[in-house]
Every structure is written in C-alpha cells, then in structure tokens.
Amino acid sequence: MLLSSQLISYEGQEIMAIICTAKDISQEKRIEQLIEDNVRKLYYDFRHDKLTGLPNRKLFIEELESSLKKAHINNNFSFTVLILDLDQFKLINHSYGHLMGDNLLIQIAERLKQYLHAQDILARLGGDEFGIILNHLGNLEHTLEIVDLIKQSFARPFQLNDYEVYSSASIGITISDTKYQKVGDILRDADAALNQAKTKDKASYTIFRQEMYLEAVNRLQLDNDLRRAIERKEFELRYQPIVELNTKKITGFEALIRWEHPEKGWISPNNFIPVAEETGLIIPLSNWILNQGCQQLCKWQKLSNNYQDLIISINLSVKQFSQNNLVEKIMDTVQNLGMNHHCLKLEITESCLVKNTEEICLILNQLKALGMKLSMDDFGTGYSSLSYLHRFPFDTLKIDRSFIKDMTQSTDKLRLTQTIIHLANDFGMEVIAEGIETEKQWKKLQQLGCPYGQGYYFAKPLTAQEVEKVILEGNNRLIV
Ligand code: C2E
Ligand code: MG
Ligand code: MG
C-alpha cells in the first residue's frame, strides 16, 4: 500500500482536517519486480554460456581484468590463465551428432569444475574452448598440478547414451608474472601457447615463452610478404620424378612449390603453406600451381613421344575444398590446355580427410568421374584409417617417408610397410613409396612388391629446365 496524507488548514493557520489516502500498488510493485528480474536475467545471460551455465568469454575477460588489477596492486598475487581446446571435437559431432557433442561439453565442464577453488574461474570461451583463471597461488608448481589433474580426468571415458567416448584437450598456459598491462596480451600469449600445444601430440600442454610472441610476429611478416610474392613472381615449381621401381622408368612428376624470399632466401613449403592456409592466400596460390604444373606437363609431352602418358601430381590443400568451384576450376584448367584428364593426379593428405569428410568425398567422386587420378598422400601419418581406403575413390596410396626411413632398421616399420602394400593391392590401389634415399631401401621395397617410388636416391625435385633436359636426352629412365 502507498499511504499519503495531506493537511487541510484555514488560511494557513488552523488545521481543519487531514486527508489520508491509501493506494493498492501491488500491481506496480509486481511489474517493477518483474522488470528487475528480467534485467538481472538478461545481464546474467549476457555473461554466461547457455549450454554449460559457465561464465562466457565476456565474463571471463571481466574476471581477467579484475585479476590483472589485483596483481598490479598486490605484488604477492599472481594468477595463471589456461586455455583448453578439445582435440578432434568435430569428429565427435560428426560421428555421434551435435546433441551428443553438447552433452560431452556439459560433462567436461562438470569435471573441470571439480579441480578449481572458489576464487578460480572456469568459462566456456566458445565452441570446444574453455578458459581457466587460477586466482589462488598462480605459480607454476600449482598450475602443473592442476594440468595433471585435468589430464587425468580426461583419461576416463565419458558416457554418451550407450557409448563410452574418450576425449582429450590441448592446453595453452600463461602465468601473470610477465608484467602484463593488458588483458588482450594475456589472451594472445595463452593462444600462442595453445597453438604450439596443438602442433604436438594430442593432450599436450605448452607454457608461453617470449619466443612464441616473436614467432607470431614472424608469421605476420611472412603473411605480408606472401601477399606480394605472387605479383613479384617469387614462386617457382620443382618437379620430383616418380619412378617404376623395377626399371627406374619415370612415370610422372610431383610438382612441389618453392618460394625465393628476397631477403630470407628459399623458404620451405612446410613453413609458408600453413600461413597461406590461415590467411586464405592458398586459393590464388594453388590456382597458380595447378596452372603452372599442367602447362609444364603439356610442354614436356610435346617434346617427346615417349612421354605421352606422363603424369603430373599436384598437391591439394584442405582449404581448397571449401572453395565452391574447385571442380570447375580444375576442369577449366585442364580443358583450356587440351590436356588428357588422366594425366592429372591430385594428392590429398590423409589428415585432410578427417574434417568435412562428406563434402570432400563428394568432390573427390566428381573429380574421379571426370577422369582425374587421386592419390592419398603421407599415408601412415594421420589416422591411417582403413575405412578411408574404401570410402574415398583413391587410385594411389603414398606411403609416408617416415616408414621408408626406418624400414631397414626397424622390423616394426618394415612389417607395417609390407602390410600397407598388401592392403593397397587388395583395394586395387597403386602404391608409391615416398622418400627413398638409399639403394638398400630401393631393393627392400622391390622385394616387398612396391611398384613405384620417389626420393633423393633417384632424384631431388628438379627445375623445369632440368626435366626438359632429361626428356630431350630421350632417356626415360633415371640413371643412379
Ligand atoms: P609432400 O607432398 O609429401 O611432398 C614430398 C616432400 O618430401 C617434398 O618436400 C620433397 O622434397 C620431400 N622429399 C622427396 N624425396 C625425399 C627424400 O628422399 N628425402 C627427404 N628427406 N625428403 C624427400 P617439400 O617440397 O619440402 O614439401 C613439403 C610438403 O609441403 C609437401 O609434402 C606438401 O605437403 C607441401 N607442398 C609442397 N608443394 C606444395 C604445393 O604445391 N601445394 C600444396 N598445397 N602443398 C605443397
Ligand atoms: Mg605430395
Ligand atoms: Mg607426401
């Protein structure tokens, strides 16, 4: 009730009456409360993750700001930031469906909570990424204890309906004692550490070091330089012969890109392809590679009748599969040159096939239907999933260099190589052994019944002029 009273006096002197009013304001109060509740809920929702109920990125950053402030005021206080990214979470979504994926995230959030103290913060930063601020005793020893607990917690399977599923996380860590001034810098460094952890085995953790910052700056510089490299014609293709092992007859060439940086000299594709993939530059670069490689093959085929069946192998990047006109692009290139479709072989690494499996399978089937050849590159380094062999329409399987390297010393590697060769035969696929460097390896592979190979033992990647010389000499066998 809202009570009010009013005095009634005569000419401002004698009080004659008091008027009291009472008003029922329950309705207004209810509305006021409702608005207040809603605002509070909105405010809460805005800063929490719906699925897990954990703080979201926004609240995480606010908490980080307050920890940073505290560390600046109090010299004895330090804190640690951990960023966790689940390994191959997409695979769970793909295999079990998104609802199960959500269920897994909820269970992981529950497990992670157990190891934290009341002052610590656990947040879901988005997707399959979690952030932790250890606000009590943020020293290295304690941090590593927590990391160990987290790793142990992932050793137990998660129950998703009737399935027991294993998961793991890579962790990037940064400790506040590096005199940070801005929250953005802390997150940048934890991310850099996470990126490093991701390049190692699954379930790895990395603590940020200053050099990582320099590496990140270097990558940025590389990206800058890459953008100009196409216009400045700093790229060149090299061609490594692929030979029939019994006769050393050249059956084709693999095109391998090289970049001559104006200041840094030759840079390996292993260093710049990942940067080009990150920035999207890989698309124009790959178009250039395809065009250049196919043009070169056509030139060589015109030079000699012995080389009409010569094949050019071009490496495809996983990023090219998200380009919606990839098939048309390849088709146009081949048709414009009047090139035989069977003479183009596209190499795809096994690790590409893990992500967007369905889409990639569709595109590969289209390319195959158009007559192009397909090769699975670096077999044995990824999942080596046997299901890939019958799921995807590959003609060729390339055994990764690491097997060939150790084959003559390790019986395990030898047996594995033998198994891969048999397996490929059973699936009606050709086999190419990569990285043959010695006569011993060459002979052993022949014994195992491997039909094709490439490697420094036969030839390093050659310039176009060197290949031309081999062809003009009319010698389609490599003399070693
Ligand atoms: P890859 O496709 O597996 O290529 C084979 C790599 O092994 C090449 O390295 C080649 O030079 C090297 N190699 C060949 N024989 C031997 C040997 O006997 N011993 C040793 N130690 N190495 C040997 P490269 O040219 O540095 O290329 C590395 C990777 O970069 C390639 O692996 C491929 O994944 C990628 N790459 C190269 N060129 C291209 C390209 O044009 N496009 C795309 N998307 N990726 C490319
Ligand atoms: Mg390759
Ligand atoms: Mg390879």
Side-chain angles (χ1 to χ4, degrees), residues 309-362:
D309 298 325
L310 203 64
I311 285 178
I312 185 86
S313 295
I314 304 278
N315 291 288
L316 288 190
S317 150
V318 66
K319 290 285 157 54
Q320 289 178 264
F321 288 92
S322 30
Q323 192 188 1
N324 49 22
N325 60 349
L326 176 67
V327 177
E328 287 86 351
K329 195 93 214 162
I330 296 175
M331 193 60 192
D332 284 353
T333 309
V334 170
Q335 275 182 344
N336 288 341
L337 290 166
M339 181 180 150
N340 185 343
H341 295 191
H342 301 284
C343 295
L344 174 62
K345 191 180 263 189
L346 300 160
E347 293 195 4
I348 296 106
T349 58
E350 198 198 342
S351 52
C352 280
L353 305 174
V354 180
K355 293 179 199 152
N356 308 328
T357 310
E358 296 304 322
E359 287 107 301
I360 293 184
C361 195
L362 197 77

Short mmCIF file of all heavy atoms in Angstrom, two decimals, residues 309-362:
data_model
loop_
_atom_site.label_atom_id
_atom_site.label_comp_id
_atom_site.label_asym_id
_atom_site.label_seq_id
_atom_site.Cartn_x
_atom_site.Cartn_y
_atom_site.Cartn_z
N ASP A 309 52.19 -40.55 -71.73
CA ASP A 309 51.41 -40.97 -70.55
C ASP A 309 51.93 -40.36 -69.25
O ASP A 309 51.50 -40.75 -68.16
CB ASP A 309 51.46 -42.50 -70.41
CG ASP A 309 50.82 -43.16 -71.61
OD1 ASP A 309 49.85 -42.59 -72.13
OD2 ASP A 309 51.32 -44.23 -72.03
N LEU A 310 52.87 -39.46 -69.39
CA LEU A 310 53.46 -38.84 -68.19
C LEU A 310 52.37 -38.19 -67.33
O LEU A 310 51.43 -37.60 -67.86
CB LEU A 310 54.44 -37.76 -68.66
CG LEU A 310 55.53 -37.36 -67.70
CD1 LEU A 310 56.46 -38.54 -67.45
CD2 LEU A 310 56.33 -36.20 -68.29
N ILE A 311 52.54 -38.35 -66.02
CA ILE A 311 51.52 -37.81 -65.11
C ILE A 311 52.10 -36.68 -64.28
O ILE A 311 53.25 -36.76 -63.83
CB ILE A 311 51.00 -38.94 -64.19
CG1 ILE A 311 50.08 -39.85 -65.00
CG2 ILE A 311 50.27 -38.39 -62.96
CD1 ILE A 311 49.55 -41.02 -64.25
N ILE A 312 51.32 -35.63 -64.08
CA ILE A 312 51.75 -34.56 -63.16
C ILE A 312 50.92 -34.68 -61.89
O ILE A 312 49.69 -34.78 -61.94
CB ILE A 312 51.64 -33.16 -63.79
CG1 ILE A 312 52.20 -32.08 -62.86
CG2 ILE A 312 50.21 -32.77 -64.15
CD1 ILE A 312 53.65 -31.87 -62.99
N SER A 313 51.60 -34.76 -60.75
CA SER A 313 50.89 -34.84 -59.47
C SER A 313 50.92 -33.47 -58.82
O SER A 313 51.98 -32.87 -58.67
CB SER A 313 51.58 -35.82 -58.53
OG SER A 313 51.50 -37.11 -59.07
N ILE A 314 49.75 -32.99 -58.44
CA ILE A 314 49.63 -31.67 -57.81
C ILE A 314 49.07 -31.87 -56.41
O ILE A 314 48.08 -32.58 -56.23
CB ILE A 314 48.66 -30.77 -58.62
CG1 ILE A 314 49.10 -30.65 -60.08
CG2 ILE A 314 48.47 -29.42 -57.94
CD1 ILE A 314 50.17 -29.63 -60.36
N ASN A 315 49.71 -31.24 -55.42
CA ASN A 315 49.21 -31.33 -54.04
C ASN A 315 48.04 -30.38 -53.83
O ASN A 315 48.11 -29.21 -54.20
CB ASN A 315 50.33 -30.94 -53.07
CG ASN A 315 51.43 -31.98 -53.04
OD1 ASN A 315 51.25 -33.07 -52.51
ND2 ASN A 315 52.56 -31.66 -53.64
N LEU A 316 46.98 -30.89 -53.23
CA LEU A 316 45.84 -30.01 -52.90
C LEU A 316 45.87 -29.71 -51.41
O LEU A 316 46.22 -30.57 -50.60
CB LEU A 316 44.52 -30.69 -53.22
CG LEU A 316 44.10 -30.87 -54.68
CD1 LEU A 316 42.65 -31.34 -54.75
CD2 LEU A 316 44.24 -29.58 -55.46
N SER A 317 45.49 -28.49 -51.08
CA SER A 317 45.39 -28.13 -49.66
C SER A 317 43.96 -28.35 -49.21
O SER A 317 43.03 -28.19 -50.01
CB SER A 317 45.77 -26.66 -49.49
OG SER A 317 45.07 -26.10 -48.40
N VAL A 318 43.78 -28.68 -47.95
CA VAL A 318 42.43 -28.94 -47.44
C VAL A 318 41.53 -27.71 -47.62
O VAL A 318 40.34 -27.82 -47.85
CB VAL A 318 42.48 -29.40 -45.96
CG1 VAL A 318 42.96 -28.28 -45.05
CG2 VAL A 318 41.13 -29.90 -45.49
N LYS A 319 42.16 -26.54 -47.57
CA LYS A 319 41.40 -25.29 -47.68
C LYS A 319 40.74 -25.16 -49.07
O LYS A 319 39.75 -24.47 -49.22
CB LYS A 319 42.31 -24.08 -47.44
CG LYS A 319 42.76 -23.96 -46.03
CD LYS A 319 41.63 -23.47 -45.17
CE LYS A 319 41.69 -23.77 -43.78
NZ LYS A 319 42.17 -23.80 -42.67
N GLN A 320 41.33 -25.81 -50.08
CA GLN A 320 40.75 -25.69 -51.42
C GLN A 320 39.37 -26.34 -51.51
O GLN A 320 38.58 -26.00 -52.37
CB GLN A 320 41.69 -26.32 -52.45
CG GLN A 320 42.94 -25.51 -52.67
CD GLN A 320 43.88 -26.18 -53.65
OE1 GLN A 320 44.80 -26.88 -53.25
NE2 GLN A 320 43.63 -25.99 -54.93
N PHE A 321 39.12 -27.27 -50.58
CA PHE A 321 37.83 -27.97 -50.64
C PHE A 321 36.68 -27.08 -50.17
O PHE A 321 35.53 -27.39 -50.40
CB PHE A 321 37.88 -29.26 -49.82
CG PHE A 321 38.71 -30.31 -50.49
CD1 PHE A 321 40.06 -30.42 -50.21
CD2 PHE A 321 38.16 -31.16 -51.43
CE1 PHE A 321 40.85 -31.35 -50.85
CE2 PHE A 321 38.93 -32.10 -52.07
CZ PHE A 321 40.28 -32.20 -51.78
N SER A 322 37.01 -25.97 -49.50
CA SER A 322 35.91 -25.08 -49.12
C SER A 322 35.62 -24.05 -50.21
O SER A 322 34.70 -23.25 -50.09
CB SER A 322 36.19 -24.41 -47.77
OG SER A 322 37.54 -24.23 -47.57
N GLN A 323 36.41 -24.09 -51.27
CA GLN A 323 36.19 -23.21 -52.42
C GLN A 323 35.04 -23.86 -53.21
O GLN A 323 35.15 -25.03 -53.58
CB GLN A 323 37.48 -23.28 -53.23
CG GLN A 323 37.67 -22.29 -54.31
CD GLN A 323 38.93 -22.65 -55.12
OE1 GLN A 323 39.61 -23.64 -54.85
NE2 GLN A 323 39.21 -21.86 -56.12
N ASN A 324 33.94 -23.13 -53.47
CA ASN A 324 32.80 -23.86 -54.02
C ASN A 324 32.93 -24.23 -55.51
O ASN A 324 32.16 -25.02 -56.01
CB ASN A 324 31.47 -23.15 -53.73
CG ASN A 324 31.54 -21.70 -54.08
OD1 ASN A 324 32.38 -21.31 -54.88
ND2 ASN A 324 30.70 -20.90 -53.45
N ASN A 325 33.94 -23.64 -56.19
CA ASN A 325 34.06 -24.01 -57.61
C ASN A 325 35.35 -24.78 -57.89
O ASN A 325 35.91 -24.67 -58.98
CB ASN A 325 33.97 -22.76 -58.49
CG ASN A 325 35.09 -21.77 -58.16
OD1 ASN A 325 35.78 -21.92 -57.15
ND2 ASN A 325 35.28 -20.78 -59.00
N LEU A 326 35.81 -25.55 -56.91
CA LEU A 326 37.08 -26.26 -57.09
C LEU A 326 37.06 -27.18 -58.32
O LEU A 326 37.98 -27.16 -59.14
CB LEU A 326 37.41 -27.07 -55.82
CG LEU A 326 38.66 -27.92 -55.90
CD1 LEU A 326 39.92 -27.07 -56.01
CD2 LEU A 326 38.80 -28.83 -54.68
N VAL A 327 35.98 -27.96 -58.45
CA VAL A 327 35.92 -28.92 -59.55
C VAL A 327 35.94 -28.19 -60.89
O VAL A 327 36.71 -28.55 -61.80
CB VAL A 327 34.66 -29.81 -59.43
CG1 VAL A 327 34.55 -30.75 -60.61
CG2 VAL A 327 34.68 -30.59 -58.12
N GLU A 328 35.13 -27.11 -61.01
CA GLU A 328 35.09 -26.34 -62.26
C GLU A 328 36.47 -25.74 -62.57
O GLU A 328 36.92 -25.73 -63.71
CB GLU A 328 34.07 -25.19 -62.19
CG GLU A 328 32.63 -25.61 -62.24
CD GLU A 328 32.10 -25.97 -60.86
OE1 GLU A 328 32.90 -26.06 -59.90
OE2 GLU A 328 30.88 -26.18 -60.73
N LYS A 329 37.10 -25.24 -61.53
CA LYS A 329 38.41 -24.60 -61.69
C LYS A 329 39.42 -25.59 -62.29
O LYS A 329 40.13 -25.27 -63.24
CB LYS A 329 38.87 -24.15 -60.29
CG LYS A 329 39.98 -23.20 -60.28
CD LYS A 329 39.50 -21.77 -60.24
CE LYS A 329 40.46 -20.92 -61.04
NZ LYS A 329 39.95 -19.65 -61.42
N ILE A 330 39.44 -26.79 -61.72
CA ILE A 330 40.39 -27.80 -62.20
C ILE A 330 40.04 -28.20 -63.63
O ILE A 330 40.89 -28.28 -64.51
CB ILE A 330 40.40 -29.03 -61.26
CG1 ILE A 330 40.90 -28.59 -59.87
CG2 ILE A 330 41.23 -30.16 -61.82
CD1 ILE A 330 40.84 -29.65 -58.81
N MET A 331 38.73 -28.40 -63.83
CA MET A 331 38.24 -28.80 -65.15
C MET A 331 38.61 -27.75 -66.20
O MET A 331 39.11 -28.09 -67.28
CB MET A 331 36.70 -28.91 -65.02
CG MET A 331 36.03 -29.58 -66.15
SD MET A 331 36.64 -31.24 -66.31
CE MET A 331 35.95 -31.57 -67.90
N ASP A 332 38.38 -26.46 -65.88
CA ASP A 332 38.70 -25.38 -66.82
C ASP A 332 40.17 -25.40 -67.19
O ASP A 332 40.53 -25.29 -68.36
CB ASP A 332 38.38 -24.01 -66.19
CG ASP A 332 36.89 -23.73 -66.20
OD1 ASP A 332 36.17 -24.55 -66.80
OD2 ASP A 332 36.47 -22.73 -65.60
N THR A 333 41.01 -25.55 -66.18
CA THR A 333 42.46 -25.53 -66.42
C THR A 333 42.84 -26.64 -67.40
O THR A 333 43.55 -26.40 -68.38
CB THR A 333 43.23 -25.74 -65.09
OG1 THR A 333 42.71 -24.82 -64.15
CG2 THR A 333 44.69 -25.57 -65.25
N VAL A 334 42.34 -27.84 -67.12
CA VAL A 334 42.70 -28.99 -67.93
C VAL A 334 42.16 -28.82 -69.36
O VAL A 334 42.87 -29.08 -70.35
CB VAL A 334 42.14 -30.27 -67.27
CG1 VAL A 334 42.25 -31.47 -68.18
CG2 VAL A 334 42.87 -30.53 -65.97
N GLN A 335 40.92 -28.34 -69.47
CA GLN A 335 40.32 -28.21 -70.81
C GLN A 335 40.97 -27.09 -71.61
O GLN A 335 41.22 -27.26 -72.81
CB GLN A 335 38.83 -27.97 -70.68
CG GLN A 335 38.11 -29.31 -70.55
CD GLN A 335 36.62 -29.17 -70.45
OE1 GLN A 335 36.10 -28.08 -70.19
NE2 GLN A 335 35.91 -30.26 -70.66
N ASN A 336 41.26 -25.97 -70.96
CA ASN A 336 41.90 -24.86 -71.68
C ASN A 336 43.23 -25.27 -72.28
O ASN A 336 43.64 -24.76 -73.32
CB ASN A 336 42.12 -23.65 -70.76
CG ASN A 336 40.81 -22.99 -70.45
OD1 ASN A 336 39.81 -23.19 -71.16
ND2 ASN A 336 40.78 -22.21 -69.38
N LEU A 337 43.92 -26.20 -71.61
CA LEU A 337 45.22 -26.63 -72.10
C LEU A 337 45.09 -27.81 -73.08
O LEU A 337 46.08 -28.25 -73.66
CB LEU A 337 46.11 -27.05 -70.93
CG LEU A 337 46.59 -25.93 -70.01
CD1 LEU A 337 47.16 -26.50 -68.73
CD2 LEU A 337 47.63 -25.08 -70.73
N GLY A 338 43.89 -28.34 -73.22
CA GLY A 338 43.66 -29.50 -74.08
C GLY A 338 44.40 -30.72 -73.55
O GLY A 338 44.90 -31.56 -74.31
N MET A 339 44.48 -30.80 -72.25
CA MET A 339 45.30 -31.86 -71.63
C MET A 339 44.43 -33.10 -71.35
O MET A 339 43.23 -32.98 -71.10
CB MET A 339 45.79 -31.26 -70.31
CG MET A 339 46.65 -32.10 -69.49
SD MET A 339 47.07 -31.12 -68.00
CE MET A 339 47.25 -32.44 -66.85
N ASN A 340 45.05 -34.27 -71.44
CA ASN A 340 44.35 -35.51 -71.12
C ASN A 340 44.05 -35.56 -69.61
O ASN A 340 44.95 -35.43 -68.79
CB ASN A 340 45.26 -36.67 -71.53
CG ASN A 340 44.59 -38.01 -71.36
OD1 ASN A 340 43.58 -38.11 -70.64
ND2 ASN A 340 45.13 -39.02 -72.00
N HIS A 341 42.78 -35.75 -69.26
CA HIS A 341 42.39 -35.74 -67.83
C HIS A 341 43.14 -36.77 -67.01
O HIS A 341 43.41 -36.57 -65.84
CB HIS A 341 40.89 -36.05 -67.69
CG HIS A 341 40.03 -35.00 -68.30
ND1 HIS A 341 38.67 -34.95 -68.11
CD2 HIS A 341 40.32 -33.96 -69.12
CE1 HIS A 341 38.18 -33.93 -68.77
NE2 HIS A 341 39.15 -33.32 -69.40
N HIS A 342 43.45 -37.91 -67.67
CA HIS A 342 44.11 -38.99 -66.92
C HIS A 342 45.53 -38.63 -66.51
O HIS A 342 46.13 -39.31 -65.69
CB HIS A 342 44.17 -40.26 -67.76
CG HIS A 342 42.82 -40.73 -68.17
ND1 HIS A 342 41.97 -41.36 -67.31
CD2 HIS A 342 42.16 -40.61 -69.35
CE1 HIS A 342 40.84 -41.63 -67.94
NE2 HIS A 342 40.93 -41.18 -69.18
N CYS A 343 46.07 -37.57 -67.12
CA CYS A 343 47.46 -37.20 -66.82
C CYS A 343 47.58 -36.29 -65.61
O CYS A 343 48.67 -35.91 -65.21
CB CYS A 343 48.12 -36.54 -68.03
SG CYS A 343 48.26 -37.68 -69.39
N LEU A 344 46.43 -35.92 -65.03
CA LEU A 344 46.49 -35.08 -63.83
C LEU A 344 46.16 -35.94 -62.61
O LEU A 344 45.12 -36.61 -62.57
CB LEU A 344 45.50 -33.91 -63.93
CG LEU A 344 45.39 -33.06 -62.66
CD1 LEU A 344 46.71 -32.39 -62.32
CD2 LEU A 344 44.31 -31.98 -62.82
N LYS A 345 47.07 -35.93 -61.65
CA LYS A 345 46.81 -36.66 -60.41
C LYS A 345 46.81 -35.64 -59.27
O LYS A 345 47.68 -34.78 -59.20
CB LYS A 345 47.91 -37.70 -60.18
CG LYS A 345 47.59 -38.66 -59.07
CD LYS A 345 48.70 -39.66 -58.89
CE LYS A 345 48.41 -40.97 -59.61
NZ LYS A 345 49.40 -42.00 -59.26
N LEU A 346 45.80 -35.74 -58.41
CA LEU A 346 45.70 -34.78 -57.31
C LEU A 346 46.04 -35.49 -56.00
O LEU A 346 45.49 -36.56 -55.72
CB LEU A 346 44.28 -34.20 -57.27
CG LEU A 346 43.94 -33.48 -58.58
CD1 LEU A 346 42.44 -33.33 -58.75
CD2 LEU A 346 44.62 -32.12 -58.65
N GLU A 347 46.96 -34.91 -55.25
CA GLU A 347 47.38 -35.53 -53.99
C GLU A 347 46.69 -34.85 -52.82
O GLU A 347 46.70 -33.63 -52.71
CB GLU A 347 48.90 -35.40 -53.82
CG GLU A 347 49.68 -36.21 -54.83
CD GLU A 347 51.14 -36.38 -54.44
OE1 GLU A 347 51.56 -35.94 -53.35
OE2 GLU A 347 51.87 -36.97 -55.25
N ILE A 348 46.11 -35.67 -51.97
CA ILE A 348 45.42 -35.14 -50.78
C ILE A 348 45.99 -35.86 -49.59
O ILE A 348 46.06 -37.10 -49.58
CB ILE A 348 43.90 -35.38 -50.86
CG1 ILE A 348 43.31 -34.61 -52.04
CG2 ILE A 348 43.17 -34.93 -49.59
CD1 ILE A 348 42.95 -35.48 -53.18
N THR A 349 46.40 -35.12 -48.55
CA THR A 349 46.99 -35.82 -47.40
C THR A 349 45.87 -36.47 -46.59
O THR A 349 44.73 -35.99 -46.57
CB THR A 349 47.78 -34.89 -46.46
OG1 THR A 349 46.90 -33.88 -46.03
CG2 THR A 349 48.98 -34.29 -47.14
N GLU A 350 46.29 -37.55 -45.94
CA GLU A 350 45.34 -38.31 -45.14
C GLU A 350 44.69 -37.43 -44.07
O GLU A 350 43.49 -37.57 -43.80
CB GLU A 350 46.16 -39.42 -44.49
CG GLU A 350 45.38 -40.54 -43.98
CD GLU A 350 46.21 -41.34 -43.00
OE1 GLU A 350 47.44 -41.23 -42.97
OE2 GLU A 350 45.59 -42.08 -42.25
N SER A 351 45.47 -36.50 -43.50
CA SER A 351 44.92 -35.68 -42.41
C SER A 351 43.80 -34.75 -42.89
O SER A 351 42.96 -34.34 -42.10
CB SER A 351 46.04 -34.88 -41.75
OG SER A 351 46.75 -34.18 -42.74
N CYS A 352 43.79 -34.44 -44.20
CA CYS A 352 42.70 -33.60 -44.75
C CYS A 352 41.34 -34.25 -44.59
O CYS A 352 40.32 -33.58 -44.53
CB CYS A 352 42.87 -33.45 -46.25
SG CYS A 352 44.05 -32.25 -46.76
N LEU A 353 41.35 -35.58 -44.60
CA LEU A 353 40.09 -36.30 -44.74
C LEU A 353 39.29 -36.35 -43.44
O LEU A 353 38.13 -36.71 -43.44
CB LEU A 353 40.35 -37.73 -45.23
CG LEU A 353 41.17 -37.79 -46.52
CD1 LEU A 353 41.52 -39.23 -46.86
CD2 LEU A 353 40.41 -37.16 -47.68
N VAL A 354 39.94 -35.97 -42.34
CA VAL A 354 39.27 -36.05 -41.04
C VAL A 354 38.14 -35.02 -40.96
O VAL A 354 37.06 -35.29 -40.46
CB VAL A 354 40.28 -35.82 -39.91
CG1 VAL A 354 39.61 -35.89 -38.56
CG2 VAL A 354 41.39 -36.83 -40.01
N LYS A 355 38.45 -33.81 -41.49
CA LYS A 355 37.45 -32.75 -41.40
C LYS A 355 36.58 -32.74 -42.65
O LYS A 355 37.05 -33.04 -43.74
CB LYS A 355 38.15 -31.41 -41.26
CG LYS A 355 38.88 -31.27 -39.96
CD LYS A 355 39.58 -29.93 -39.88
CE LYS A 355 40.66 -29.98 -38.84
NZ LYS A 355 41.75 -29.08 -39.12
N ASN A 356 35.34 -32.34 -42.52
CA ASN A 356 34.38 -32.21 -43.64
C ASN A 356 34.42 -33.42 -44.57
O ASN A 356 34.43 -33.27 -45.79
CB ASN A 356 34.67 -30.95 -44.45
CG ASN A 356 34.74 -29.73 -43.58
OD1 ASN A 356 34.05 -29.66 -42.56
ND2 ASN A 356 35.57 -28.79 -43.93
N THR A 357 34.44 -34.59 -43.96
CA THR A 357 34.61 -35.82 -44.71
C THR A 357 33.60 -35.96 -45.85
O THR A 357 33.98 -36.31 -46.97
CB THR A 357 34.46 -37.00 -43.73
OG1 THR A 357 35.32 -36.72 -42.64
CG2 THR A 357 34.84 -38.30 -44.35
N GLU A 358 32.32 -35.67 -45.55
CA GLU A 358 31.28 -35.89 -46.57
C GLU A 358 31.51 -35.01 -47.79
O GLU A 358 31.45 -35.49 -48.93
CB GLU A 358 29.89 -35.60 -45.98
CG GLU A 358 29.49 -36.53 -44.84
CD GLU A 358 29.55 -37.99 -45.24
OE1 GLU A 358 29.19 -38.31 -46.40
OE2 GLU A 358 29.98 -38.82 -44.41
N GLU A 359 31.75 -33.71 -47.53
CA GLU A 359 31.94 -32.77 -48.64
C GLU A 359 33.14 -33.18 -49.49
O GLU A 359 33.08 -33.19 -50.72
CB GLU A 359 32.20 -31.34 -48.13
CG GLU A 359 31.00 -30.64 -47.58
CD GLU A 359 31.09 -30.55 -46.06
OE1 GLU A 359 31.18 -31.63 -45.41
OE2 GLU A 359 31.08 -29.43 -45.53
N ILE A 360 34.24 -33.54 -48.81
CA ILE A 360 35.45 -33.89 -49.55
C ILE A 360 35.20 -35.14 -50.39
O ILE A 360 35.60 -35.22 -51.55
CB ILE A 360 36.65 -34.08 -48.58
CG1 ILE A 360 36.98 -32.72 -47.96
CG2 ILE A 360 37.86 -34.66 -49.29
CD1 ILE A 360 38.17 -32.69 -47.06
N CYS A 361 34.49 -36.09 -49.81
CA CYS A 361 34.19 -37.34 -50.53
C CYS A 361 33.41 -37.04 -51.81
O CYS A 361 33.70 -37.58 -52.88
CB CYS A 361 33.39 -38.26 -49.60
SG CYS A 361 33.33 -39.93 -50.18
N LEU A 362 32.45 -36.13 -51.70
CA LEU A 362 31.63 -35.76 -52.85
C LEU A 362 32.49 -35.14 -53.96
O LEU A 362 32.39 -35.52 -55.13
CB LEU A 362 30.58 -34.74 -52.38
CG LEU A 362 29.40 -34.54 -53.29
CD1 LEU A 362 28.44 -35.71 -53.14
CD2 LEU A 362 28.67 -33.22 -52.94
#
